[in-house]
């Protein structure tokens, strides 16, 4: 292990399995930050200064709300000039949602924001928490020879892989390899040393860092499945408090050809709702032109989500809708690559 530069890193501890221990009834409960750090004495070798901000109360990430994303964005803005990088300790269950949302909320990011956590608590034998945390701090500290950050992106670092946050899905609940990025290669791999794929990393924008905390969460998700009923589709597609619907379709963006279904889609589009087509497949992309069953959606005004994950589409919609009341503008922006979240 080598001692690296004297970078400063802020660890933001929100909760999750990494910092949990068993209570007297055997249930996992969060423990405090100092106890967590005691399990990783090597950390000091990677950064000159590691400070922490602990959420109160610590939460299981199943309880994450957009207000916590706002909180995270505000902490990063407040501390932006003070630190070289940020590591967010977060439960794995909703980490891909949080990393996606933050990637849109943080504008012109020039520093690493690395989400990590673990499948086993950090105090347990065989824990993955130590490696995940150490690699995350090393990556958050890494700089190019000119002094700029090596990975100025919102990422997830897990099981030796550094993945772009808005490309991730939690794909495994049972092994240490919990996250995958099916449509974009890893930005780095942590082996004996950390090998960066520099050409895949987004470039720093030459503009001041800013945060967007105005989010509009009126989004529903319709997951198609054989046997779905007209009433269920109607309830989701036409709901009065729904401004946008992510339609999780089959394969390359296909839906059933039944007339009742297409009529509801057309009615929803005519109401001005923003409709986005995202595939249920983990890998690959939406192309509504391939099959007749996809064309109906395109003709009704459904926007292609290309190869975006549902998590990225959700965060992007919250962010875009929070900026404007103009649904047509949101539709146009949805199809643009804003933070590396889709391949055009
Ligand atoms: N339920 C936990 C959480 O998401 C699971 C984990 O951290 O892995 O907070």
């Amino acid at each position: 292990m080598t001692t690296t530069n004297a970078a400063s890193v802020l660890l933001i501890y929100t909760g999750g399995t990494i910092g949990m221990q068993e209570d007297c009834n055997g249930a996992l409960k969060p423990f405090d930050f100092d106890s967590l750090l005691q399990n990783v004495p090597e950390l000091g070798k990677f950064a000159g200064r590691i400070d922490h901000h602990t959420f109160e109360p610590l939460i299981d990430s199943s309880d994450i709300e957009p207000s916590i994303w706002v909180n995270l964005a505000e902490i990063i803005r407040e501390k932006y000039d003070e630190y070289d990088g940020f590591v967010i300790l977060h439960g794995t269950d909703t980490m891909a949602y949080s990393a996606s949302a933050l990637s849109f909320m943080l504008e012109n990011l020039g520093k690493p924001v690395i989400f990590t956590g673990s499948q086993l608590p950090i105090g347990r034998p065989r824990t993955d928490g130590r490696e995940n945390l150490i690699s995350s701090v090393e990556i958050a500290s890494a700089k190019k020879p000119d002094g700029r950050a090596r990975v100025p992106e919102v990422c997830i670092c897990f099981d030796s892989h550094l993945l772009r946050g808005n490309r991730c899905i939690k794909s495994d609940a049972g092994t240490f390899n919990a996250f995958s990025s099916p449509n974009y290669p890893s930005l780095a791999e942590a082996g004996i040393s950390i090998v960066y794929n520099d050409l895949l990393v987004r470039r720093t924008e030459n503009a001041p860092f800013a945060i967007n905390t105005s989010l509009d969460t009126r989004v529903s998700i319709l997951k198609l499945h054989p046997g779905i009923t007209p009433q269920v589709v109607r309830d989701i597609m036409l709901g009065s408090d729904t401004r946008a619907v992510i339609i999780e379709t089959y394969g390359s963006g296909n839906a059933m050809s039944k007339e009742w279904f297409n009529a509801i889609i057309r009615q929803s589009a005519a109401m001005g709702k923003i409709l986005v087509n995202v595939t249920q497949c983990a890998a690959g992309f939406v192309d509504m032109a391939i099959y007749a069953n996809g064309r109906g959606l395109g003709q009704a005004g459904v926007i292609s989500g290309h190869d975006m994950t549902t998590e990225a589409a959700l965060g992007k919609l919250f962010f875009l809708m929070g900026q404007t009341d103009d649904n047509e503008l949101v539709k146009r922006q949805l199809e643009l690559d804003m933070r590396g979240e889709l391949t055009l």
Side-chain angles (χ1 to χ4, degrees):
M1 195 188 299
T2 51
T3 305
T4 58
N5 53 47
S8 55
V9 172
L10 182 65
L11 284 181
I12 306 174
Y13 178 31
T14 67
T17 297
I18 191 165
M20 291 188 180
Q21 62 189 1
E22 279 171 16
D23 67 12
C24 47
N25 301 317
L28 286 174
K29 287 273 177 60
F31 64 102
D32 65 61
F33 190 81
D34 290 331
S35 318
L36 188 146
L37 272 196
Q38 275 166 20
N39 287 282
V40 204
E42 307 91 323
L43 270 186
K45 296 196 177 168
F46 289 105
R49 171 180 162 208
I50 300 183
D51 294 331
H52 68 91
H53 177 104
T54 300
F55 271 59
E56 183 58 52
L58 291 163
I59 54 167
D60 182 299
S61 78
S62 315
D63 284 321
I64 283 286
E65 290 287 336
S67 58
I68 294 175
W69 299 337
V70 170
N71 217 329
L72 285 169
E74 284 170 344
I75 293 166
I76 291 169
R77 179 186 54 193
E78 198 182 309
K79 304 286 183 182
Y80 193 75
D81 292 334
E82 238 180 278
Y83 294 93
D84 295 299
F86 300 84
V87 173
I88 301 178
L89 299 178
H90 190 292
T92 58
D93 288 345
T94 58
M95 193 185 288
Y97 288 93
S98 295
S100 292
L102 261 291
S103 76
F104 295 105
M105 295 168 72
L106 306 180
E107 191 107 35
N108 304 324
L109 185 63
K111 299 187 177 186
V113 173
I114 314 293
F115 279 81
T116 196
S118 68
Q119 297 279 60
L120 275 180
I122 208 157
R124 285 261 184 94
R126 295 197 309 104
T127 181
D128 52 332
R130 282 168 42 83
E131 304 306 319
N132 289 346
L133 179 51
I134 291 169
S135 297
S136 298
V137 169
E138 183 168 353
I139 290 164
S141 311
K143 292 182 190 165
K144 295 181 191 160
D146 65 5
R148 286 182 300 151
R150 187 106 191 228
V151 189
E153 292 208 28
V154 177
C155 298
I156 289 182
C157 179
F158 221 91
D159 195 35
S160 308
H161 311 298
L162 182 71
L163 308 173
R164 176 170 295 157
N166 57 32
R167 291 289 192 155
C168 286
I169 52 174
K170 181 173 179 182
S171 48
D172 195 331
T175 73
F176 291 153
N177 193 18
F179 290 92
S180 52
S181 166
N183 286 324
Y184 200 76
S186 60
L187 302 181
E189 290 293 329
I192 292 171
S193 59
I194 296 183
V195 178
Y196 292 89
N197 293 318
D198 290 310
L199 293 176
L200 297 175
V201 175
R202 277 168 61 78
R203 285 167 204 274
T204 315
E205 299 294 336
N206 203 9
F209 172 69
I211 63 171
N212 301 295
T213 52
S214 170
L215 302 173
D216 183 344
T217 61
R218 290 175 296 162
V219 180
S220 301
I221 299 176
L222 173 69
K223 179 166 185 163
L224 300 184
H225 59 82
I228 196 165
T229 64
Q231 194 53 50
V232 166
V233 175
R234 229 177 266 124
D235 287 347
I236 296 175
M237 295 298 302
L238 308 178
S240 57
D241 197 37
T242 293
R243 190 173 159 198
V245 185
I246 297 170
I247 308 171
E248 283 196 0
T249 56
Y250 305 126
S252 53
N254 303 314
M256 49 276 209
S257 57
K258 294 191 177 66
E259 184 41 37
W260 65 259
F261 178 78
N262 284 316
I264 297 171
I265 298 285
R266 285 196 300 271
Q267 192 181 346
S268 180
M271 290 166 80
K273 297 187 192 296
I274 303 157
L275 309 179
V276 191
N277 187 343
V278 168
T279 175
Q280 293 178 14
C281 296
F285 57 92
V286 166
D287 183 349
M288 290 184 276
I290 300 180
Y291 294 96
N293 284 26
R295 283 192 188 160
L297 294 176
Q299 282 157 1
V302 177
I303 300 292
S304 173
H306 298 271
D307 57 353
M308 265 192 296
T309 61
T310 296
E311 291 86 335
L314 191 82
K316 192 170 181 178
L317 278 165
F318 283 6
F319 157 69
L320 289 174
M321 296 192 329
Q323 314 303 305
T324 177
D325 291 330
D326 181 347
N327 285 4
E328 293 307 313
L329 177 60
V330 172
K331 286 185 203 170
R332 287 197 296 279
Q333 290 180 323
L334 263 174
E335 291 214 77
L336 305 177
D337 172 15
M338 304 189 81
R339 303 281 195 270
E341 74 281 6
L342 59 79
T343 315
L344 290 176

